[in-house]
Amino acid sequence: MLFPFIFWGSLELYENTDALAVVRALRPDEPITLLRPHAATRAARFFVEKFQGKSLYAVKANPSPALLELLWNAGITHFDVASLGEVRLVNKFLPDAKLCFMHPVKSERAISQAYHNHGVRTFSLDSRDELEKIVRATNGATDLELCVRIRVSSEHAKLSLASKFGADPSEVADLLVATRQVADALGICFHVGSQAMTPAAFSEAMEHVRAAIVQASVTVDIVDVGGGFPSVYPGMEPPPLESYFDVIHNAFEDLPISYSAELWCEPGRALCAEYASLLVRVEKRRGNELYINDGAYGSLFDAAHVGWRFPVQLQRSDTSIGTQMAEFSFYGPTCDDMDHMVGPFVLPDDIQAGDYIEVGMLGAYGCAMRTEFNGFGETETVVVEDEPMATLYSRSAANDIGVTNRHALVSKK
Ligand SMILES: *Cc1c(COP(=O)(O)O)cnc(C)c1O
Protein backbone atom coordinates (compact mmCIF):
# COMPACT_ATOMS: atom_id res chain seq x y z
CA MET A 1 0.00 0.00 0.00
CA LEU A 2 1.30 3.44 -0.85
CA PHE A 3 0.71 6.47 1.33
CA PRO A 4 0.97 9.72 -0.53
CA PHE A 5 1.83 12.85 1.38
CA ILE A 6 1.73 16.44 0.25
CA PHE A 7 5.07 18.20 -0.03
CA TRP A 8 5.25 21.80 -1.21
CA GLY A 9 2.22 21.36 -3.40
CA SER A 10 3.60 18.26 -5.02
CA LEU A 11 2.87 14.70 -4.06
CA GLU A 12 5.62 12.31 -3.18
CA LEU A 13 5.02 8.60 -2.90
CA TYR A 14 7.19 6.06 -1.18
CA GLU A 15 9.67 3.77 -2.99
CA ASN A 16 9.53 2.29 -6.46
CA THR A 17 6.70 4.44 -7.64
CA ASP A 18 5.54 4.19 -11.20
CA ALA A 19 2.49 5.35 -13.13
CA LEU A 20 0.45 2.31 -12.18
CA ALA A 21 1.22 2.76 -8.49
CA VAL A 22 -0.08 6.31 -8.77
CA VAL A 23 -3.30 5.08 -10.39
CA ARG A 24 -3.76 2.51 -7.63
CA ALA A 25 -3.03 4.88 -4.79
CA LEU A 26 -4.86 7.98 -5.99
CA ARG A 27 -7.34 7.16 -8.78
CA PRO A 28 -6.92 10.84 -9.65
CA ASP A 29 -9.81 12.94 -10.96
CA GLU A 30 -7.44 15.46 -12.50
CA PRO A 31 -4.47 14.86 -14.79
CA ILE A 32 -1.24 14.22 -12.90
CA THR A 33 2.23 15.16 -14.05
CA LEU A 34 4.72 12.38 -13.36
CA LEU A 35 8.28 13.63 -12.87
CA ARG A 36 11.45 11.59 -13.41
CA PRO A 37 14.34 13.53 -11.91
CA HIS A 38 16.75 10.67 -12.65
CA ALA A 39 16.05 10.99 -16.39
CA ALA A 40 16.78 14.73 -16.47
CA THR A 41 19.96 14.22 -14.45
CA ARG A 42 21.09 11.49 -16.84
CA ALA A 43 20.47 13.72 -19.88
CA ALA A 44 22.36 16.61 -18.30
CA ARG A 45 25.33 14.41 -17.36
CA PHE A 46 25.42 13.14 -20.93
CA PHE A 47 25.70 16.66 -22.36
CA VAL A 48 28.13 17.83 -19.69
CA GLU A 49 30.47 14.91 -20.25
CA LYS A 50 30.16 14.24 -23.97
CA PHE A 51 29.60 17.59 -25.64
CA GLN A 52 33.04 19.16 -26.03
CA GLY A 53 31.94 22.65 -25.16
CA LYS A 54 29.38 24.41 -23.04
CA SER A 55 25.78 23.24 -22.93
CA LEU A 56 23.28 26.03 -22.22
CA TYR A 57 19.85 24.81 -21.15
CA ALA A 58 17.10 26.54 -23.21
CA VAL A 59 14.76 27.43 -20.36
CA LYS A 60 11.63 27.87 -22.47
CA ALA A 61 11.41 24.10 -23.03
CA ASN A 62 10.48 23.66 -19.36
CA PRO A 63 11.01 26.43 -16.83
CA SER A 64 10.09 24.49 -13.70
CA PRO A 65 12.33 25.51 -10.78
CA ALA A 66 12.78 21.88 -9.69
CA LEU A 67 14.16 21.04 -13.12
CA LEU A 68 16.45 24.08 -13.16
CA GLU A 69 17.94 22.96 -9.88
CA LEU A 70 18.36 19.37 -11.05
CA LEU A 71 20.20 20.51 -14.17
CA TRP A 72 22.40 22.85 -12.14
CA ASN A 73 23.28 20.03 -9.75
CA ALA A 74 24.15 17.83 -12.73
CA GLY A 75 26.65 20.40 -14.01
CA ILE A 76 24.65 22.70 -16.33
CA THR A 77 25.86 26.19 -15.38
CA HIS A 78 24.69 28.26 -18.39
CA PHE A 79 21.08 29.01 -19.26
CA ASP A 80 19.61 30.29 -22.51
CA VAL A 81 16.82 32.69 -21.55
CA ALA A 82 14.39 34.29 -23.98
CA SER A 83 12.61 36.93 -21.89
CA LEU A 84 13.02 39.13 -18.85
CA GLY A 85 10.64 36.77 -17.06
CA GLU A 86 13.05 33.88 -17.64
CA VAL A 87 16.00 36.05 -16.60
CA ARG A 88 14.28 36.78 -13.28
CA LEU A 89 13.19 33.19 -12.79
CA VAL A 90 16.63 31.62 -13.25
CA ASN A 91 18.28 34.42 -11.29
CA LYS A 92 15.95 33.78 -8.37
CA PHE A 93 16.52 30.04 -8.15
CA LEU A 94 20.12 29.84 -9.40
CA PRO A 95 21.81 33.14 -8.50
CA ASP A 96 25.22 31.92 -9.68
CA ALA A 97 24.07 30.67 -13.08
CA LYS A 98 25.34 32.41 -16.19
CA LEU A 99 22.43 33.75 -18.23
CA CYS A 100 22.58 34.22 -21.99
CA PHE A 101 19.76 36.28 -23.49
CA MET A 102 19.46 34.50 -26.83
CA HIS A 103 16.19 35.91 -28.19
CA PRO A 104 17.27 38.07 -31.12
CA VAL A 105 14.44 40.61 -30.67
CA LYS A 106 14.20 42.18 -27.22
CA SER A 107 12.77 45.34 -25.73
CA GLU A 108 15.26 47.99 -24.70
CA ARG A 109 13.98 47.81 -21.15
CA ALA A 110 14.48 44.04 -21.03
CA ILE A 111 18.07 44.40 -22.21
CA SER A 112 18.76 47.20 -19.77
CA GLN A 113 17.31 45.37 -16.78
CA ALA A 114 19.03 42.12 -17.73
CA TYR A 115 22.37 43.92 -18.00
CA HIS A 116 22.16 46.31 -15.05
CA ASN A 117 20.10 44.30 -12.53
CA HIS A 118 20.83 40.68 -13.36
CA GLY A 119 24.42 40.64 -14.59
CA VAL A 120 23.58 39.39 -18.09
CA ARG A 121 26.46 40.03 -20.51
CA THR A 122 25.60 37.68 -23.37
CA PHE A 123 22.99 38.71 -25.95
CA SER A 124 22.09 37.53 -29.43
CA LEU A 125 21.00 39.73 -32.32
CA ASP A 126 20.21 39.40 -36.00
CA SER A 127 20.02 43.02 -37.20
CA ARG A 128 21.70 46.43 -36.98
CA ASP A 129 18.66 47.78 -35.14
CA GLU A 130 19.03 45.22 -32.39
CA LEU A 131 22.77 45.88 -32.14
CA GLU A 132 22.14 49.61 -31.66
CA LYS A 133 19.44 48.83 -29.13
CA ILE A 134 21.84 46.69 -27.09
CA VAL A 135 24.53 49.39 -27.18
CA ARG A 136 22.02 52.06 -26.05
CA ALA A 137 20.40 49.93 -23.35
CA THR A 138 23.77 49.04 -21.80
CA ASN A 139 25.17 52.60 -22.10
CA GLY A 140 27.87 51.46 -24.49
CA ALA A 141 29.13 48.68 -22.22
CA THR A 142 32.54 47.25 -23.10
CA ASP A 143 32.08 43.82 -21.54
CA LEU A 144 29.44 42.39 -23.90
CA GLU A 145 29.44 38.95 -25.47
CA LEU A 146 27.36 39.38 -28.62
CA CYS A 147 26.23 36.47 -30.77
CA VAL A 148 25.05 37.16 -34.31
CA ARG A 149 22.27 34.77 -35.23
CA ILE A 150 22.49 33.60 -38.83
CA ARG A 151 19.64 32.05 -40.77
CA VAL A 152 20.03 28.38 -41.59
CA SER A 153 17.73 25.78 -43.10
CA SER A 154 15.19 23.90 -40.98
CA GLU A 155 14.67 21.21 -43.60
CA HIS A 156 15.86 18.38 -41.34
CA ALA A 157 13.79 19.49 -38.35
CA LYS A 158 10.25 18.54 -37.37
CA LEU A 159 9.50 22.08 -36.20
CA SER A 160 10.88 24.91 -38.31
CA LEU A 161 12.63 27.90 -36.78
CA ALA A 162 13.87 29.22 -40.11
CA SER A 163 11.48 31.97 -41.06
CA LYS A 164 11.37 34.22 -38.05
CA PHE A 165 14.95 34.88 -36.95
CA GLY A 166 18.43 34.98 -38.40
CA ALA A 167 20.36 37.51 -40.45
CA ASP A 168 20.18 36.98 -44.17
CA PRO A 169 23.43 35.68 -45.77
CA SER A 170 23.74 38.96 -47.70
CA GLU A 171 23.80 41.01 -44.47
CA VAL A 172 25.81 38.72 -42.21
CA ALA A 173 29.31 39.97 -43.07
CA ASP A 174 28.46 43.64 -42.39
CA LEU A 175 26.66 42.77 -39.20
CA LEU A 176 29.59 40.68 -37.94
CA VAL A 177 32.02 43.53 -38.62
CA ALA A 178 29.79 46.08 -36.88
CA THR A 179 29.22 43.79 -33.91
CA ARG A 180 32.95 43.04 -33.61
CA GLN A 181 33.54 46.75 -33.06
CA VAL A 182 31.43 46.91 -29.91
CA ALA A 183 31.70 43.38 -28.55
CA ASP A 184 34.26 42.18 -26.05
CA ALA A 185 33.59 38.66 -27.38
CA LEU A 186 31.96 37.97 -30.74
CA GLY A 187 29.87 34.87 -31.37
CA ILE A 188 27.97 33.32 -34.23
CA CYS A 189 24.83 31.32 -33.43
CA PHE A 190 22.05 29.55 -35.30
CA HIS A 191 19.15 27.16 -34.71
CA VAL A 192 18.53 24.27 -37.10
CA GLY A 193 14.89 23.87 -35.95
CA SER A 194 13.51 21.67 -33.21
CA GLN A 195 13.78 17.85 -33.30
CA ALA A 196 16.44 17.75 -36.03
CA MET A 197 16.31 14.18 -37.31
CA THR A 198 19.83 14.01 -38.76
CA PRO A 199 23.26 15.33 -37.75
CA ALA A 200 23.55 16.67 -41.31
CA ALA A 201 21.42 19.60 -40.14
CA PHE A 202 24.41 20.74 -38.08
CA SER A 203 27.13 20.07 -40.67
CA GLU A 204 25.19 22.10 -43.23
CA ALA A 205 24.65 24.95 -40.78
CA MET A 206 28.36 24.95 -39.89
CA GLU A 207 29.13 25.52 -43.59
CA HIS A 208 27.15 28.76 -43.34
CA VAL A 209 29.17 29.69 -40.25
CA ARG A 210 32.40 29.09 -42.15
CA ALA A 211 31.23 31.15 -45.12
CA ALA A 212 30.24 34.03 -42.84
CA ILE A 213 33.59 34.04 -41.00
CA VAL A 214 35.55 33.93 -44.25
CA GLN A 215 33.47 36.66 -45.85
CA ALA A 216 33.64 39.02 -42.87
CA SER A 217 37.27 38.20 -41.93
CA VAL A 218 36.58 38.76 -38.26
CA THR A 219 37.91 36.99 -35.21
CA VAL A 220 35.16 34.84 -33.74
CA ASP A 221 35.32 33.85 -30.07
CA ILE A 222 32.15 31.74 -29.72
CA VAL A 223 30.39 29.33 -32.07
CA ASP A 224 26.97 28.45 -30.70
CA VAL A 225 25.20 25.63 -32.56
CA GLY A 226 21.87 26.27 -30.83
CA GLY A 227 19.25 23.66 -29.97
CA GLY A 228 17.43 21.14 -32.11
CA PHE A 229 18.88 17.99 -30.53
CA PRO A 230 16.12 15.39 -30.78
CA SER A 231 14.26 13.15 -28.39
CA VAL A 232 12.41 9.92 -29.26
CA TYR A 233 8.72 9.74 -30.21
CA PRO A 234 6.63 7.21 -32.17
CA GLY A 235 7.72 7.45 -35.80
CA MET A 236 10.56 9.82 -34.91
CA GLU A 237 13.56 7.74 -33.94
CA PRO A 238 16.75 9.69 -34.49
CA PRO A 239 20.33 8.37 -34.66
CA PRO A 240 22.33 8.43 -31.39
CA LEU A 241 23.15 11.84 -29.94
CA GLU A 242 26.86 11.01 -30.10
CA SER A 243 26.65 11.16 -33.88
CA TYR A 244 25.36 14.74 -33.64
CA PHE A 245 28.20 15.62 -31.28
CA ASP A 246 30.79 14.02 -33.62
CA VAL A 247 29.57 16.03 -36.60
CA ILE A 248 29.60 19.25 -34.57
CA HIS A 249 33.03 18.62 -33.04
CA ASN A 250 34.55 17.86 -36.45
CA ALA A 251 33.00 20.89 -38.11
CA PHE A 252 34.13 23.11 -35.23
CA GLU A 253 37.71 21.83 -35.51
CA ASP A 254 37.71 22.78 -39.20
CA LEU A 255 36.55 26.38 -38.75
CA PRO A 256 38.98 29.24 -39.34
CA ILE A 257 38.94 30.35 -35.68
CA SER A 258 41.51 30.56 -32.93
CA TYR A 259 42.33 27.75 -30.52
CA SER A 260 40.77 29.68 -27.70
CA ALA A 261 37.37 29.97 -29.40
CA GLU A 262 34.53 28.35 -27.46
CA LEU A 263 31.90 25.90 -28.68
CA TRP A 264 28.41 26.23 -27.20
CA CYS A 265 25.09 24.46 -27.71
CA GLU A 266 21.58 25.25 -26.41
CA PRO A 267 19.60 22.03 -25.93
CA GLY A 268 16.02 22.38 -24.70
CA ARG A 269 14.06 19.31 -25.75
CA ALA A 270 16.93 16.82 -25.41
CA LEU A 271 17.56 17.77 -21.79
CA CYS A 272 14.00 17.59 -20.53
CA ALA A 273 11.71 15.54 -22.82
CA GLU A 274 12.22 12.44 -20.65
CA TYR A 275 11.69 14.38 -17.42
CA ALA A 276 7.88 14.31 -17.39
CA SER A 277 4.86 12.36 -18.54
CA LEU A 278 1.17 12.87 -17.95
CA LEU A 279 -1.43 10.58 -16.43
CA VAL A 280 -4.87 11.28 -17.90
CA ARG A 281 -8.25 9.64 -17.43
CA VAL A 282 -10.65 8.60 -20.15
CA GLU A 283 -13.96 10.33 -19.42
CA LYS A 284 -15.85 8.99 -22.42
CA ARG A 285 -15.37 6.74 -25.40
CA ARG A 286 -17.15 7.36 -28.72
CA GLY A 287 -16.05 4.79 -31.27
CA ASN A 288 -12.33 5.24 -31.60
CA GLU A 289 -12.36 8.72 -30.08
CA LEU A 290 -11.35 9.04 -26.45
CA TYR A 291 -12.39 12.08 -24.40
CA ILE A 292 -9.54 12.60 -21.95
CA ASN A 293 -9.02 15.18 -19.19
CA ASP A 294 -6.06 17.05 -20.70
CA GLY A 295 -5.55 18.42 -24.19
CA ALA A 296 -4.64 21.22 -26.58
CA TYR A 297 -4.89 23.90 -23.91
CA GLY A 298 -3.13 21.76 -21.34
CA SER A 299 0.08 19.81 -21.79
CA LEU A 300 -0.82 18.47 -25.23
CA PHE A 301 -0.52 21.62 -27.35
CA ASP A 302 1.86 20.00 -29.83
CA ALA A 303 -0.29 16.86 -30.11
CA ALA A 304 -3.20 19.06 -31.18
CA HIS A 305 -1.59 21.84 -33.16
CA VAL A 306 1.24 20.14 -34.99
CA GLY A 307 -0.01 16.54 -34.85
CA TRP A 308 2.90 15.42 -32.64
CA ARG A 309 2.56 11.75 -31.70
CA PHE A 310 3.50 11.17 -28.09
CA PRO A 311 3.84 7.59 -26.83
CA VAL A 312 0.87 6.29 -24.82
CA GLN A 313 0.30 3.38 -22.47
CA LEU A 314 -2.82 2.10 -20.73
CA GLN A 315 -2.34 2.06 -16.94
CA ARG A 316 -5.11 -0.21 -15.67
CA SER A 317 -4.84 -1.58 -12.19
CA ASP A 318 -6.42 -4.97 -12.84
CA THR A 319 -4.56 -7.36 -15.07
CA SER A 320 -7.27 -7.87 -17.66
CA ILE A 321 -5.74 -5.72 -20.37
CA GLY A 322 -6.74 -7.03 -23.79
CA THR A 323 -4.06 -7.76 -26.35
CA GLN A 324 -6.02 -6.52 -29.35
CA MET A 325 -4.76 -3.01 -30.17
CA ALA A 326 -6.53 -0.21 -32.03
CA GLU A 327 -5.85 3.32 -33.16
CA PHE A 328 -7.50 6.21 -31.30
CA SER A 329 -7.74 9.96 -31.50
CA PHE A 330 -8.23 12.13 -28.40
CA TYR A 331 -10.50 15.01 -27.46
CA GLY A 332 -9.34 17.26 -24.62
CA PRO A 333 -11.62 18.58 -21.84
CA THR A 334 -12.46 22.08 -23.12
CA CYS A 335 -15.57 22.91 -25.14
CA ASP A 336 -13.52 23.74 -28.22
CA ASP A 337 -13.53 21.56 -31.35
CA MET A 338 -9.87 22.42 -31.80
CA ASP A 339 -9.14 20.57 -28.58
CA HIS A 340 -8.55 17.47 -30.70
CA MET A 341 -5.49 15.31 -31.14
CA VAL A 342 -5.53 13.11 -34.22
CA GLY A 343 -2.69 10.80 -33.20
CA PRO A 344 -3.14 8.00 -34.06
CA PHE A 345 -2.56 6.75 -30.51
CA VAL A 346 -2.32 2.96 -30.31
CA LEU A 347 -4.02 1.47 -27.23
CA PRO A 348 -5.81 -1.75 -26.25
CA ASP A 349 -9.12 -2.03 -28.06
CA ASP A 350 -11.10 -2.60 -24.84
CA ILE A 351 -10.17 0.77 -23.34
CA GLN A 352 -13.14 2.54 -21.77
CA ALA A 353 -14.25 5.45 -19.61
CA GLY A 354 -12.53 5.35 -16.23
CA ASP A 355 -9.28 3.95 -17.63
CA TYR A 356 -6.03 5.87 -17.20
CA ILE A 357 -3.51 6.55 -19.95
CA GLU A 358 0.07 7.65 -19.47
CA VAL A 359 1.20 10.04 -22.20
CA GLY A 360 4.99 10.01 -22.33
CA MET A 361 7.84 12.36 -23.23
CA LEU A 362 6.08 15.56 -22.20
CA GLY A 363 8.91 17.14 -20.25
CA ALA A 364 9.73 19.45 -23.17
CA TYR A 365 7.11 21.82 -24.58
CA GLY A 366 4.35 19.93 -22.72
CA CYS A 367 3.98 21.07 -19.13
CA ALA A 368 5.46 24.44 -20.14
CA MET A 369 2.54 25.28 -22.41
CA ARG A 370 -0.38 24.52 -20.10
CA THR A 371 -3.15 27.12 -19.80
CA GLU A 372 -6.20 27.45 -17.56
CA PHE A 373 -8.66 27.81 -20.44
CA ASN A 374 -12.15 26.61 -19.49
CA GLY A 375 -11.10 26.22 -15.86
CA PHE A 376 -8.89 23.22 -16.52
CA GLY A 377 -5.14 23.08 -16.20
CA GLU A 378 -4.50 22.43 -12.54
CA THR A 379 -2.36 19.38 -12.09
CA GLU A 380 -0.56 17.77 -9.22
CA THR A 381 2.92 16.41 -9.72
CA VAL A 382 4.22 13.09 -8.46
CA VAL A 383 7.83 11.97 -8.52
CA VAL A 384 8.19 8.47 -9.98
CA GLU A 385 11.23 6.25 -10.26
CA ASP A 386 10.58 4.09 -13.30
CA GLU A 387 12.03 4.68 -16.74
CA PRO A 388 10.53 7.14 -19.24
CA MET A 389 8.65 5.48 -22.10
CA ALA A 390 11.63 5.99 -24.38
CA THR A 391 15.16 7.22 -23.90
CA LEU A 392 18.01 8.49 -26.00
CA TYR A 393 20.35 7.85 -23.11
CA SER A 394 20.82 4.14 -23.55
CA ARG A 395 22.32 1.59 -21.23
CA SER A 396 25.72 1.84 -22.90
CA ALA A 397 25.61 5.62 -22.90
CA ALA A 398 24.59 5.56 -19.25
CA ASN A 399 27.46 3.19 -18.43
CA ASP A 400 29.90 5.35 -20.34
CA ILE A 401 29.13 8.35 -18.23
CA GLY A 402 29.11 6.41 -15.00
CA VAL A 403 25.43 6.56 -14.18
CA THR A 404 25.15 4.12 -11.31
CA ASN A 405 21.58 4.87 -10.33
CA ARG A 406 19.84 1.51 -10.57
CA HIS A 407 16.76 3.12 -12.07
CA ALA A 408 18.74 4.39 -15.00
CA LEU A 409 19.55 0.88 -16.12
CA VAL A 410 16.23 -0.90 -16.03
CA SER A 411 14.08 -0.70 -19.06
CA LYS A 412 10.37 -0.29 -18.85
CA LYS A 413 8.18 -3.42 -18.87
C1 LIG B 1 13.87 27.06 -28.52
C2 LIG B 1 15.31 27.40 -28.60
C3 LIG B 1 16.27 26.48 -28.18
C4 LIG B 1 15.94 25.05 -27.77
O1 LIG B 1 15.54 24.31 -28.88
P1 LIG B 1 15.29 22.72 -28.76
O2 LIG B 1 14.80 22.36 -30.11
O3 LIG B 1 14.30 22.51 -27.69
O4 LIG B 1 16.60 22.10 -28.43
C5 LIG B 1 17.60 26.86 -28.20
N1 LIG B 1 17.96 28.10 -28.60
C6 LIG B 1 17.06 29.03 -29.01
C7 LIG B 1 17.55 30.37 -29.43
C8 LIG B 1 15.71 28.70 -29.03
O5 LIG B 1 14.82 29.62 -29.45
Side-chain angles (χ1 to χ4, degrees), residues 59 62-65 68 84-94 118:
V59 174
N62 186 333
S64 111
L68 297 177
L84 193 55
E86 287 186 355
V87 169
R88 292 199 184 106
L89 175 83
V90 181
N91 217 212
K92 176 172 166 198
F93 289 96
L94 303 174
H118 299 283

Side-chain angles (χ1 to χ4, degrees), residues 57-138:
Y57 172 55
V59 174
K60 75 169 189 283
N62 186 333
S64 111
L67 175 63
L68 297 177
E69 268 169 38
L70 269 171
L71 296 176
W72 172 264
N73 290 334
I76 300 284
T77 54
H78 288 49
F79 293 78
D80 161 6
V81 288
S83 62
L84 193 55
E86 287 186 355
V87 169
R88 292 199 184 106
L89 175 83
V90 181
N91 217 212
K92 176 172 166 198
F93 289 96
L94 303 174
D96 297 326
K98 174 160 167 168
L99 305 186
C100 304
F101 207 152
M102 303 308 277
H103 191 308
V105 184
K106 301 165 284 298
S107 78
E108 211 159 309
R109 179 172 158 272
I111 297 165
S112 170
Q113 293 217 357
Y115 182 86
H116 294 288
N117 303 348
H118 299 283
V120 178
R121 295 293 176 267
T122 312
F123 298 88
S124 82
L125 61 113
D126 65 358
S127 68
R128 282 276 191 157
D129 289 346
E130 188 74 7
L131 179 61
E132 283 160 21
K133 211 194 278 174
I134 293 169
V135 170
R136 269 197 312 275
T138 60

Side-chain angles (χ1 to χ4, degrees), residues 150-165:
I150 63 172
R151 185 177 307 157
V152 299
S153 160
S154 270
E155 67 172 313
H156 300 297
K158 291 291 177 182
L159 288 176
S160 172
L161 292 173
S163 35
K164 193 166 177 182
F165 299 134

Side-chain angles (χ1 to χ4, degrees), residues 58 60 80 102 149 191 193-195 226-229 266-269 365:
K60 75 169 189 283
D80 161 6
M102 303 308 277
R149 167 104 168 237
H191 198 302
S194 205
Q195 185 75 6
F229 299 93
E266 305 166 350
R269 180 185 304 281
Y365 308 111

